[in-house]
Amino acid sequence: MYIAYWIVAVLLAAFYLYAGGKKAVQNQEQLAPMMGWVDTVPMWLVRVIGVVEILGAAGLVLPPLTGIAPALATAAALGLLVLQVLAGALHLSRGEVKETGLNAALIALAAGAAWLAPTW
C-alpha cells in the first residue's frame, strides 16, 4: 500500500502543481483556451483555486515524506476530492458533460490517495 500511495500521490501532485500553477500565475486570456470556465468566475477566485491546488499537492507529498503530521496527507486528498466534486458540478451546470471525465478520474485518484494515505 505504501508504493501504491506514492504512485497515486505523485500523479496527483504533478497534475495539481501544473494546473494550480497555471491558475495562480496566468491571466484570463491565457487560461481561456484550456479552461473555458474562467470567463464565468472572478479572476481572484481562479487564483485562490490555483493556490489551493498547489497546497493540496504539497499536502499529499510533504507530510509523508518528512514524517511530520502525515495525517495531513489524508486531509489534502479529501480536500482535492471536494475540489473536484465542485469542479464537476460547475462543468455540469455549464452543460460540459464531456469535461467531467477528467473530474471523475481525479475524484477516484483523490479517494484512493485518502484511503491509502499513511498514518504513521
Side-chain angles (χ1 to χ4, degrees):
M1 295 237 285
Y2 180 80
I3 293 171
Y5 172 76
W6 280 109
I7 291 169
V8 172
V10 167
L11 287 172
L12 279 173
F15 176 84
Y16 283 113
L17 280 175
Y18 175 75
K22 288 186 121 0
K23 290 175 191 126
V25 299
Q26 289 187 338
N27 63 33
Q28 190 173 15
E29 293 77 31
Q30 292 170 314
L31 291 173
M34 291 186 312
M35 303 170 200
W37 57 270
V38 298
D39 60 348
T40 61
V41 176
M43 202 56 201
W44 66 266
L45 184 56
V46 175
R47 301 264 188 249
V48 168
I49 293 168
V51 170
V52 166
E53 290 177 346
I54 292 168
L55 291 174
L60 288 173
V61 175
L62 294 178
L65 192 63
T66 63
I68 300 170
L72 289 176
T74 303
L78 291 173
L80 292 172
L81 187 143
V82 169
L83 181 73
Q84 283 308 310
V85 167
L86 294 172
L90 175 69
H91 286 301
L92 289 175
S93 74
R94 291 174 45 94
E96 301 169 343
V97 177
K98 291 189 310 185
E99 282 78 4
T100 59
L102 178 60
N103 298 117
L106 291 170
I107 288 168
L109 285 172
W115 182 63
L116 294 167
T119 56
W120 63 88

